Amino acid sequence: MMRPTMRPVILMTRPAPEGADTARDLAARTGCGVVVSPLLAIRATGDLPDMTRYRSLIFTSRNGVRAYAALNGPKLPATCVGEATARAARDAGHPARASGGDAEALVADLRANPPEAPILHLRGEIAQGDIAPRLTAAGLPTDAAVIYAQDLCDLSDEARQLLSGPAPVIVPLYSPRTAARFAALCPKGAQVHLILISRNADLAAAAIDAKSRSIATSPDARAMADAVDATLRRVEGIGGAH
Protein backbone atom coordinates (compact mmCIF):
# COMPACT_ATOMS: atom_id res chain seq x y z
CA MET A 1 0.00 0.00 0.00
CA MET A 2 1.09 3.56 -0.67
CA ARG A 3 1.30 5.88 2.29
CA PRO A 4 -0.74 9.11 2.23
CA THR A 5 0.55 11.80 -0.14
CA MET A 6 -0.42 14.54 2.32
CA ARG A 7 -0.11 14.88 6.07
CA PRO A 8 -3.15 14.23 8.22
CA VAL A 9 -5.04 17.18 9.65
CA ILE A 10 -6.47 17.14 13.18
CA LEU A 11 -10.08 18.25 13.66
CA MET A 12 -10.64 19.68 17.15
CA THR A 13 -14.27 19.57 18.29
CA ARG A 14 -13.88 20.42 22.00
CA PRO A 15 -15.74 23.52 23.24
CA ALA A 16 -13.92 26.69 24.22
CA PRO A 17 -11.71 27.39 26.02
CA GLU A 18 -10.27 23.85 26.26
CA GLY A 19 -10.65 23.29 22.51
CA ALA A 20 -8.38 26.15 21.49
CA ASP A 21 -5.81 25.24 24.15
CA THR A 22 -5.80 21.58 23.12
CA ALA A 23 -5.52 22.54 19.44
CA ARG A 24 -2.41 24.62 20.13
CA ASP A 25 -0.86 21.80 22.17
CA LEU A 26 -1.52 19.17 19.50
CA ALA A 27 -0.25 21.41 16.70
CA ALA A 28 3.01 21.96 18.58
CA ARG A 29 3.28 18.29 19.53
CA THR A 30 2.57 16.78 16.10
CA GLY A 31 3.44 19.48 13.58
CA CYS A 32 0.08 18.84 11.90
CA GLY A 33 -2.45 21.41 10.89
CA VAL A 34 -5.43 21.69 13.24
CA VAL A 35 -8.92 22.87 12.31
CA VAL A 36 -11.00 24.02 15.30
CA SER A 37 -14.75 23.47 15.04
CA PRO A 38 -16.44 23.11 18.46
CA LEU A 39 -19.54 20.92 18.44
CA LEU A 40 -20.70 22.14 21.85
CA ALA A 41 -20.94 25.66 23.25
CA ILE A 42 -20.99 26.09 27.02
CA ARG A 43 -23.49 28.60 28.37
CA ALA A 44 -23.95 29.48 32.04
CA THR A 45 -27.54 29.03 33.17
CA GLY A 46 -29.60 28.81 36.32
CA ASP A 47 -28.91 29.94 39.86
CA LEU A 48 -27.35 28.26 42.85
CA PRO A 49 -29.60 26.77 45.53
CA ASP A 50 -29.35 27.90 49.14
CA MET A 51 -25.72 26.99 49.83
CA THR A 52 -25.87 27.23 53.63
CA ARG A 53 -26.76 23.53 54.00
CA TYR A 54 -23.94 22.09 51.91
CA ARG A 55 -20.60 21.02 53.32
CA SER A 56 -18.77 19.85 50.18
CA LEU A 57 -19.00 19.94 46.39
CA ILE A 58 -18.54 17.70 43.36
CA PHE A 59 -17.19 19.08 40.09
CA THR A 60 -17.19 16.79 37.05
CA SER A 61 -15.75 19.33 34.60
CA ARG A 62 -13.90 22.61 34.43
CA ASN A 63 -17.09 24.07 32.96
CA GLY A 64 -18.80 23.45 36.30
CA VAL A 65 -15.94 25.14 38.16
CA ARG A 66 -16.13 28.22 35.92
CA ALA A 67 -19.92 28.48 36.11
CA TYR A 68 -19.90 28.08 39.90
CA ALA A 69 -17.25 30.78 40.24
CA ALA A 70 -19.31 33.10 38.02
CA LEU A 71 -22.24 32.59 40.41
CA ASN A 72 -20.02 33.52 43.39
CA GLY A 73 -20.53 30.23 45.19
CA PRO A 74 -18.73 29.70 48.53
CA LYS A 75 -15.30 28.04 48.52
CA LEU A 76 -16.18 24.62 49.87
CA PRO A 77 -14.05 21.44 49.74
CA ALA A 78 -14.49 19.74 46.38
CA THR A 79 -14.04 16.27 44.91
CA CYS A 80 -13.38 16.40 41.18
CA VAL A 81 -13.34 14.09 38.19
CA GLY A 82 -9.77 14.25 36.91
CA GLU A 83 -6.72 16.24 37.91
CA ALA A 84 -7.41 19.03 35.39
CA THR A 85 -10.78 19.75 37.02
CA ALA A 86 -9.23 19.53 40.50
CA ARG A 87 -6.52 21.99 39.46
CA ALA A 88 -9.15 24.40 38.14
CA ALA A 89 -11.06 24.10 41.43
CA ARG A 90 -7.92 24.79 43.45
CA ASP A 91 -7.14 27.79 41.24
CA ALA A 92 -10.66 29.04 42.02
CA GLY A 93 -9.96 28.82 45.76
CA HIS A 94 -11.40 25.43 46.71
CA PRO A 95 -9.62 22.76 48.75
CA ALA A 96 -9.94 20.13 46.01
CA ARG A 97 -8.79 16.62 45.21
CA ALA A 98 -8.98 14.52 42.06
CA SER A 99 -10.95 11.27 42.08
CA GLY A 100 -10.46 9.13 38.99
CA GLY A 101 -11.30 10.10 35.45
CA ASP A 102 -15.01 9.35 35.18
CA ALA A 103 -18.28 9.19 37.09
CA GLU A 104 -17.89 5.52 38.01
CA ALA A 105 -14.50 6.08 39.63
CA LEU A 106 -15.79 9.15 41.46
CA VAL A 107 -18.83 7.37 42.92
CA ALA A 108 -16.70 4.43 44.07
CA ASP A 109 -14.13 6.74 45.65
CA LEU A 110 -16.71 8.87 47.47
CA ARG A 111 -18.41 5.77 48.84
CA ALA A 112 -15.06 4.52 50.15
CA ASN A 113 -13.85 7.95 51.34
CA PRO A 114 -16.97 9.96 52.13
CA PRO A 115 -16.60 13.73 52.45
CA GLU A 116 -18.69 15.84 54.80
CA ALA A 117 -22.33 15.87 53.68
CA PRO A 118 -24.71 17.15 52.40
CA ILE A 119 -22.90 17.36 49.06
CA LEU A 120 -23.79 19.41 45.98
CA HIS A 121 -22.88 18.25 42.47
CA LEU A 122 -22.46 21.22 40.10
CA ARG A 123 -23.27 19.92 36.62
CA GLY A 124 -24.47 20.69 33.12
CA GLU A 125 -27.85 19.92 31.61
CA ILE A 126 -26.40 16.71 30.13
CA ALA A 127 -24.46 14.55 32.59
CA GLN A 128 -23.33 10.95 32.85
CA GLY A 129 -23.52 8.54 35.74
CA ASP A 130 -26.49 9.61 37.92
CA ILE A 131 -23.99 10.70 40.55
CA ALA A 132 -26.28 12.46 43.04
CA PRO A 133 -29.00 9.78 43.31
CA ARG A 134 -26.43 6.97 43.53
CA LEU A 135 -24.53 8.66 46.35
CA THR A 136 -27.75 9.48 48.18
CA ALA A 137 -28.85 5.85 47.91
CA ALA A 138 -25.45 4.85 49.35
CA GLY A 139 -26.03 7.00 52.42
CA LEU A 140 -24.29 10.21 51.29
CA PRO A 141 -26.99 12.91 50.90
CA THR A 142 -26.21 14.58 47.56
CA ASP A 143 -28.12 17.09 45.47
CA ALA A 144 -27.41 18.29 41.94
CA ALA A 145 -27.60 21.83 40.57
CA VAL A 146 -27.64 22.44 36.81
CA ILE A 147 -25.63 25.62 36.27
CA TYR A 148 -24.60 25.42 32.62
CA ALA A 149 -25.94 24.24 29.29
CA GLN A 150 -24.09 22.43 26.50
CA ASP A 151 -25.63 23.75 23.28
CA LEU A 152 -25.07 21.73 20.10
CA CYS A 153 -23.12 23.42 17.28
CA ASP A 154 -22.73 22.70 13.57
CA LEU A 155 -19.45 22.00 11.83
CA SER A 156 -17.77 25.10 10.49
CA ASP A 157 -17.40 25.61 6.72
CA GLU A 158 -13.67 24.90 7.08
CA ALA A 159 -14.38 21.62 8.90
CA ARG A 160 -16.92 20.52 6.28
CA GLN A 161 -14.47 21.25 3.49
CA LEU A 162 -11.77 19.30 5.32
CA LEU A 163 -14.02 16.27 5.79
CA SER A 164 -15.02 16.36 2.12
CA GLY A 165 -11.40 16.45 0.93
CA PRO A 166 -8.73 13.82 0.35
CA ALA A 167 -6.55 14.42 3.44
CA PRO A 168 -6.68 11.95 6.34
CA VAL A 169 -8.45 13.63 9.28
CA ILE A 170 -7.65 12.64 12.86
CA VAL A 171 -10.67 13.38 15.06
CA PRO A 172 -10.26 13.13 18.86
CA LEU A 173 -13.70 13.07 20.53
CA TYR A 174 -13.72 14.03 24.20
CA SER A 175 -17.25 13.11 25.31
CA PRO A 176 -20.11 10.82 24.30
CA ARG A 177 -22.27 13.83 23.43
CA THR A 178 -19.62 15.30 21.14
CA ALA A 179 -19.13 11.87 19.57
CA ALA A 180 -22.87 11.55 18.90
CA ARG A 181 -22.97 15.04 17.41
CA PHE A 182 -20.03 14.29 15.14
CA ALA A 183 -21.67 11.03 14.05
CA ALA A 184 -24.74 13.01 13.02
CA LEU A 185 -22.70 15.52 11.00
CA CYS A 186 -19.78 13.54 9.54
CA PRO A 187 -20.24 13.06 5.78
CA LYS A 188 -20.16 9.56 4.37
CA GLY A 189 -16.83 8.65 2.86
CA ALA A 190 -14.83 11.05 5.02
CA GLN A 191 -11.22 9.95 5.59
CA VAL A 192 -11.55 10.02 9.37
CA HIS A 193 -9.46 8.31 12.03
CA LEU A 194 -11.33 8.47 15.34
CA ILE A 195 -9.90 8.67 18.84
CA LEU A 196 -12.49 8.22 21.59
CA ILE A 197 -12.08 9.21 25.22
CA SER A 198 -14.17 6.29 26.50
CA ARG A 199 -16.13 3.19 25.53
CA ASN A 200 -19.34 5.22 25.81
CA ALA A 201 -17.97 7.77 23.35
CA ASP A 202 -17.04 4.93 21.00
CA LEU A 203 -20.60 3.60 21.17
CA ALA A 204 -21.97 7.07 20.47
CA ALA A 205 -19.84 7.26 17.32
CA ALA A 206 -20.59 3.70 16.18
CA ALA A 207 -22.41 4.85 13.03
CA ILE A 208 -19.26 6.44 11.57
CA ASP A 209 -17.49 4.30 8.97
CA ALA A 210 -14.03 5.40 10.12
CA LYS A 211 -10.77 4.37 8.53
CA SER A 212 -9.54 3.54 12.04
CA ARG A 213 -10.72 4.04 15.60
CA SER A 214 -9.09 3.71 18.99
CA ILE A 215 -10.05 4.35 22.61
CA ALA A 216 -7.70 6.26 24.90
CA THR A 217 -6.09 4.20 27.65
CA SER A 218 -7.62 6.52 30.26
CA PRO A 219 -10.25 9.27 30.04
CA ASP A 220 -7.96 12.29 30.20
CA ALA A 221 -6.26 14.80 27.93
CA ARG A 222 -2.81 13.24 28.21
CA ALA A 223 -4.02 9.81 27.10
CA MET A 224 -5.93 11.42 24.25
CA ALA A 225 -2.79 13.24 23.09
CA ASP A 226 -0.82 9.98 23.26
CA ALA A 227 -3.54 8.31 21.17
CA VAL A 228 -3.30 11.11 18.60
CA ASP A 229 0.46 10.46 18.38
CA ALA A 230 -0.10 6.72 17.92
CA THR A 231 -2.73 7.27 15.24
CA LEU A 232 -0.51 9.76 13.41
CA ARG A 233 2.39 7.29 13.38
CA ARG A 234 0.11 4.54 12.11
CA VAL A 235 -1.41 6.65 9.35
CA GLU A 236 1.90 8.07 8.18
CA GLY A 237 3.70 4.77 8.57
CA ILE A 238 1.72 2.97 5.86
CA GLY A 239 4.21 1.73 3.31
CA GLY A 240 7.29 2.78 5.31
CA ALA A 241 8.63 5.30 7.77
CA HIS A 242 7.74 8.96 7.34
Side-chain angles (χ1 to χ4, degrees), residues 1 4 163 165-171 182 186-196 205-214 231 234-235 238:
M1 292 178 65
L163 292 167
V169 184
I170 297 175
V171 188
F182 185 68
C186 183
K188 291 184 178 179
Q191 305 297 301
V192 293
H193 299 264
L194 300 183
I195 299 164
L196 296 311
I208 301 174
D209 184 19
K211 299 301 179 183
S212 71
R213 59 201 307 138
S214 60
T231 297
R234 185 170 64 249
V235 173
I238 297 173

Side-chain angles (χ1 to χ4, degrees), residues 120-175:
L120 182 64
H121 176 201
L122 289 312
R123 46 159 284 195
E125 289 180 340
I126 307 297
Q128 302 286 321
D130 296 322
I131 289 171
R134 290 171 65 190
L135 289 175
T136 299
L140 280 173
T142 305
D143 296 330
V146 175
I147 58 172
Y148 65 94
Q150 304 120 305
D151 298 328
L152 296 174
C153 302
D154 290 326
L155 288 166
S156 67
D157 290 342
E158 185 180 11
R160 285 195 294 269
Q161 291 172 6
L162 174 66
L163 292 167
S164 298
V169 184
I170 297 175
V171 188
L173 296 168
Y174 290 80
S175 73

Side-chain angles (χ1 to χ4, degrees), residues 53-57 116-120 141-143:
R53 67 184 299 265
Y54 296 107
R55 296 294 175 262
S56 59
L57 307 174
E116 191 174 358
I119 308 166
L120 182 64
T142 305
D143 296 330

